[in-house]
């Protein structure tokens, strides 16, 4: 019994100590806890304490020593600065190109077509004219694509320029340096025929290039043209003998439009016969005899109404002067009285062995008589 009482006293003592310890640690209502302890004193004795013992707090892990700082990488040495490239000296300013006032407003064709004609420049050459003036001969091919006979001289307007000014005059080279192409520019050619032609102009040998412009005379537009420019020099030359015109063994321009003879007003015209002869220079000629009969009331002369032409290869022939004349050569201005007939002769220089077409045109009424003569 005494042992039991002693145990209870010990328990109470221990409880009091615990309460005092809790009070000292700041626990609020100590008396309430004591009271609860009182109520449970009988139940606590002999039972296991339900209060869990708090787990011990883990000791803080030791702070890791900081990793050693890496040594900074060595900085690369700076690349050496390139020496600046030398500045190019400014190019000299080009002088502004002065426009040629003679070209203003013009259209230069590149296809060579001028209305019913075709023109192609084929070269040029430097020469001295009859007055020893430096000159340039321009060569070009002229094609008649119209329905009528014409010449380059009739169909085209030619103008030459140098150093911004027009060259007013031609050069004359009849004695100093003639060329057959100079003459061809004025020859009549048939439709479809091409002829090589040339024209000569005086130039300033120390000046700029000389320019030849060719335009359609019938159209009247001189600002639409074909042109070529050449500079005077001793080396400027062209071989014009490397070209031959087309030959026609059976020409039909004359025979397709007229007969050998027929009536014109009160006259009767007959293209009668022809013969070969020579010029005083030894060139071959054809002499044609035409018989005219006057059936009218008034006398007439052949030169008043008759125009005679001759062609070879579609190219008009020049009048020839025979070395030996006949009576008929001078009859074109003789009077033909009423009821009389007169034979008149006409001579032409031949340019080939091709057949010769003769046409006698009466007045201005497109009345033709003629045909083709063939050499024996």
């Amino acid at each position: 019994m005494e042992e039991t009482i002693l145990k209870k006293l010990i328990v109470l003592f221990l409880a009091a100590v615990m309460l005092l310890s809790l009070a000292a640690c700041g626990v609020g209502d100590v008396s309430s806890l004591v009271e609860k302890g009182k109520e449970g004193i009988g139940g606590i004795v002999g039972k296991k304490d339900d209060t869990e013992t708090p787990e011990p707090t883990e000791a803080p892990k030791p702070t890791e020593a900081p990793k050693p700082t890496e040594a900074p990488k060595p900085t690369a040495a700076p690349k050496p600065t390139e020496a600046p490239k030398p500045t190019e000296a400014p190019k000299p300013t080009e002088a502004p190109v002065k426009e040629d006032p003679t070209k203003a407003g013009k259209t230069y064709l590149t296809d060579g077509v001028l209305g019913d004609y075709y023109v192609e420049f084929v070269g040029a050459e430097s020469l001295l004219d009859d007055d020893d003036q430096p000159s340039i001969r321009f060569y070009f091919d002229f094609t008649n694509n119209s329905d009528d006979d014409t010449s380059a001289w009739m169909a085209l307007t030619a103008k030459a320029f140098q150093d911004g000014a027009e060259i007013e005059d031609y050069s004359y080279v009849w004695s100093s340096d003639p060329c057959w192409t100079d003459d061809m520019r004025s020859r009549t050619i048939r439709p479809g025929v091409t002829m090589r032609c040339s024209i000569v102009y005086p130039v300033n040998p120390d000046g700029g290039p000389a320019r030849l412009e060719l335009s359609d005379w019938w159209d009247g537009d001189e600002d639409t043209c074909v042109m070529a420019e050449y500079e005077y020099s001793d080396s400027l030359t062209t071989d014009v003998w490397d070209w031959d015109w087309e030959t026609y063994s059976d020409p039909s321009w004359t025979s397709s439009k007229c007969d050998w003879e027929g009536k014109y007003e009160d006259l009767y015209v007959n293209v009668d016969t022809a013969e070969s002869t020579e010029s005083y220079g030894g060139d071959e000629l054809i002499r044609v005899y035409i018989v005219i009969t006057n059936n009218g009331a008034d006398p007439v002369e052949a030169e008043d109404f008759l125009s005679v032409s001759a062609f070879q290869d579609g190219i008009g022939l020049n009048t020839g002067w025979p070395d030996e004349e006949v009576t008929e050569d001078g009859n074109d201005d003789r009077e033909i009285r009423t009821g009389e007939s007169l034979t008149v002769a006409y001579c032409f220089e031949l340019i080939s062995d091709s057949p010769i077409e003769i046409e006698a045109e009466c007045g201005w009424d497109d009345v033709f008589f003629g045909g083709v003569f063939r050499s024996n």
Side-chain angles (χ1 to χ4, degrees):
M1 176 97 178
E2 290 178 357
E3 185 179 354
T4 302
I5 295 171
L6 179 62
K7 289 180 178 181
K8 289 182 179 182
L9 290 173
I10 292 171
V11 168
L12 290 174
F13 176 78
L14 292 173
V17 172
M18 291 177 63
L19 290 174
L20 290 174
S21 299
L22 292 173
C25 292
V27 175
D29 192 355
V30 178
S31 60
S32 173
L33 291 175
V34 174
E35 292 296 325
K36 290 179 180 180
K38 288 181 180 181
E39 292 177 357
I41 289 176
I44 291 172
V45 177
K47 293 183 179 181
K48 188 177 179 178
D49 188 1
D50 292 330
T51 302
E52 294 182 1
T53 304
E55 295 181 1
T57 303
E58 293 183 2
K61 296 180 179 180
T63 305
E64 294 182 0
K67 295 180 179 180
T69 304
E70 294 182 1
K73 295 180 179 179
T75 304
K79 295 181 179 180
T81 305
E82 294 182 1
K85 295 181 179 180
T87 305
E88 293 184 1
K91 296 181 179 180
T93 304
E94 295 183 358
V97 178
K98 185 178 180 180
E99 294 187 1
D100 188 340
T102 62
K103 291 184 177 181
K106 293 183 178 179
T107 300
Y108 293 110
L109 304 176
T110 57
D111 59 4
V113 177
L114 293 171
D116 292 330
Y117 315 111
Y118 175 79
V119 174
E120 180 182 3
F121 284 96
V122 295
E125 66 177 346
S126 300
L127 68 158
L128 298 178
D129 66 12
D130 291 348
D131 296 322
D132 290 331
Q133 169 67 40
S135 304
I136 291 180
R137 175 182 278 126
F138 296 84
Y139 292 99
F140 61 93
D141 289 346
F142 170 72
T143 302
N144 177 16
N145 291 324
S146 73
D147 297 327
D148 302 309
D149 299 344
T150 192
S151 66
W153 182 79
M154 282 293 299
L156 305 176
T157 297
K159 288 189 174 183
F161 303 87
Q162 186 182 30
D163 298 331
E166 183 176 354
I167 303 173
E168 298 293 342
D169 299 318
Y170 302 127
S171 284
Y172 295 97
V173 290
W174 295 330
S175 60
S176 60
D177 196 352
C179 183
W180 62 272
T181 55
D182 297 339
D183 171 61
M184 291 300 175
R185 188 172 70 94
S186 60
R187 292 200 185 215
T188 299
I189 61 175
R190 301 292 202 178
V193 173
T194 297
M195 176 48 60
R196 179 151 293 183
C197 308
S198 60
I199 185 171
V200 186
Y201 286 94
V203 297
N204 176 7
D206 298 322
R211 181 177 81 254
L212 176 61
E213 297 179 353
L214 298 174
S215 59
D216 184 353
W217 184 85
W218 296 101
D219 179 74
D221 181 9
E222 296 180 2
D223 290 337
T224 301
C225 54
V226 178
M227 75 91 167
E229 290 182 312
Y230 299 97
E231 192 164 354
Y232 182 91
S233 70
D234 293 338
S235 61
L236 180 62
T237 184
T238 298
D239 182 8
V240 297
W241 298 103
D242 64 348
W243 177 88
D244 291 316
W245 59 74
E246 183 179 359
T247 59
Y248 293 84
S249 60
D250 189 21
S252 59
W253 289 286
T254 297
S255 59
S256 64
K257 66 182 179 181
C258 64
D259 297 322
W260 285 103
E261 56 186 278
K263 183 179 179 181
Y264 171 67
E265 296 182 351
D266 295 330
L267 305 171
Y268 193 85
V269 178
N270 177 20
V271 179
D272 191 15
T273 61
E275 65 181 3
S276 295
T277 186
E278 286 187 357
S279 71
Y280 61 86
D283 297 323
E284 186 178 5
L285 306 180
I286 183 173
R287 178 185 279 123
V288 181
Y289 295 97
I290 300 177
V291 180
I292 303 168
T293 302
N294 182 7
N295 295 317
D298 300 318
V300 296
E301 296 176 5
E303 66 179 3
D304 292 336
F305 72 94
L306 193 63
S307 175
V308 181
S309 302
F311 296 85
Q312 278 186 299
D313 300 321
I315 302 168
L317 303 182
N318 289 338
T319 299
W321 307 102
D323 184 38
E324 296 182 2
E325 293 187 355
V326 297
T327 303
E328 291 83 356
D329 290 336
N331 282 349
D332 61 329
D333 60 352
R334 283 186 60 183
E335 186 176 80
I336 309 172
R337 297 175 182 176
T338 302
E340 294 183 349
S341 296
L342 180 68
T343 299
V344 183
Y346 300 86
C347 293
F348 301 93
E349 294 179 351
L350 302 183
I351 59 174
S352 72
D353 296 329
S354 299
I356 306 121
E357 293 182 296
I358 300 296
E359 287 186 5
E361 181 179 5
C362 299
W364 300 96
D365 302 322
D366 290 335
V367 178
F368 296 90
F369 301 102
V372 178
F373 291 100
R374 301 178 186 277
S375 58
N376 296 328

